[in-house]
Amino acid sequence: NAGVTQTPKFQVLKTGQSMTLQCAQDMNHEYMSWYRQDPGMGLRLIHYSVGAGITDQGEVPNGYNVSRSTTEDFPLRLLSAAPSQTSVYFCASSSGLKRPQHFGDGTRLSIL
Amino acid sequence: EDQVTQSPEALRLQEGESSSLNCSYTVSGLRGLFWYRQDPGKGPEFLFTLYSAGEEKEKERLKATLTKKESFLHITAPKPEDSATYLCAVQAANYGQNFVFGPGTRLSVLP
């Protein structure tokens, strides 16, 4: 059982470049989310989705875009990378209200 | 403003030295409080969910408790393999299915 799979594991970008972080889950979870984790700041919610075709903004959405065309996949797009977006990005999914979120192992992104 | 804080920020214990980690929260309509363990280079791993004050959950050397304002993660006779960052998160009525995470406690258990 793969759970939540994130690719790539590491990425280095130059300022202004765009890229897509991939997230896939095989648990048939309706809820999926993207977080960034920075030292001393904990996990902060970027965007989330409660089902295919439905997405919404979290705490820190600026500079990021998401879409949810299938239950399994929830990609995160950086439109024009900035050094402030250097972080570790985690994708998570959940089976519903009051249920735990299950996390992937993250994408470590550096913007030069 | 809704908030989740954790203390201490870092904790060093000798093997076998029991202690507790704290997670304090100020939210309205708590739906659940979740504890996670995170190892370096990995994503958070789910440990416990607590839903109401007075509830307790146990797993091996870990025991989580919940009051109306805070949760404790008690670690009894820790081993070096318990070294990790421990995160707590809350789900509340205002957030739908979203979580608000605390900043974590970095635990080191020395042999």
Side-chain angles (χ1 to χ4, degrees), chain B residues 1-2 11 16 24 29 33 41-42 50 66 70 72 79 84 90 103-104 106 110:
Chain B
E1 179 184 345
D2 294 339
L11 181 62
S24 295
L33 187 141
K42 295 289 189 179
L50 302 165
L66 182 65
E70 58 191 349
F72 291 94
K79 298 181 178 182
V90 299
R106 190 170 63 255
L110 306 177

Side-chain angles (χ1 to χ4, degrees), chain B residues 9-22:
Chain B
E9 181 176 333
L11 181 62
R12 296 182 73 176
L13 299 173
Q14 290 295 132
E15 184 172 2
E17 180 187 1
S18 301
S19 188
S20 297
L21 313 182
N22 175 266

Side-chain angles (χ1 to χ4, degrees), chain A:
Chain A
N1 191 353
V4 179
T5 302
Q6 291 185 238
T7 56
K9 295 188 185 303
F10 303 93
Q11 185 71 49
V12 178
L13 293 178
K14 294 181 179 179
T15 298
Q17 287 185 317
S18 63
M19 80 160 294
T20 299
L21 280 62
Q22 301 291 343
C23 175
Q25 53 94 6
D26 62 359
M27 297 173 283
N28 201 34
H29 287 171
E30 292 293 335
Y31 178 89
M32 295 186 74
S33 54
W34 275 102
Y35 294 87
R36 59 177 291 172
Q37 187 174 42
D38 303 291
M41 301 195 70
L43 287 154
R44 292 183 292 167
L45 184 65
I46 304 172
H47 285 284
Y48 65 97
S49 168
V50 297
I54 307 170
T55 64
D56 208 343
Q57 297 180 350
E59 180 186 356
V60 288
N62 292 342
Y64 307 96
N65 224 347
V66 291
S67 60
R68 183 97 180 268
S69 56
T70 67
T71 299
E72 294 78 19
D73 300 300
F74 190 41
L76 178 72
R77 279 182 288 277
L78 278 70
L79 308 173
S80 178
S84 61
Q85 294 177 304
T86 293
S87 187
V88 183
Y89 291 84
F90 289 100
C91 178
S93 71
S94 168
S95 59
L97 203 60
K98 298 189 179 183
R99 303 300 297 166
Q101 294 189 23
H102 299 276
F103 286 80
D105 279 337
T107 293
R108 284 142 190 86
L109 182 63
S110 294
I111 315 294
L112 305 178

Side-chain angles (χ1 to χ4, degrees), chain B residues 88-104:
Chain B
C88 72
V90 299
Q91 188 182 75
N94 290 344
Y95 308 143
Q97 295 185 52
N98 296 337
F99 284 8
V100 176
F101 276 87

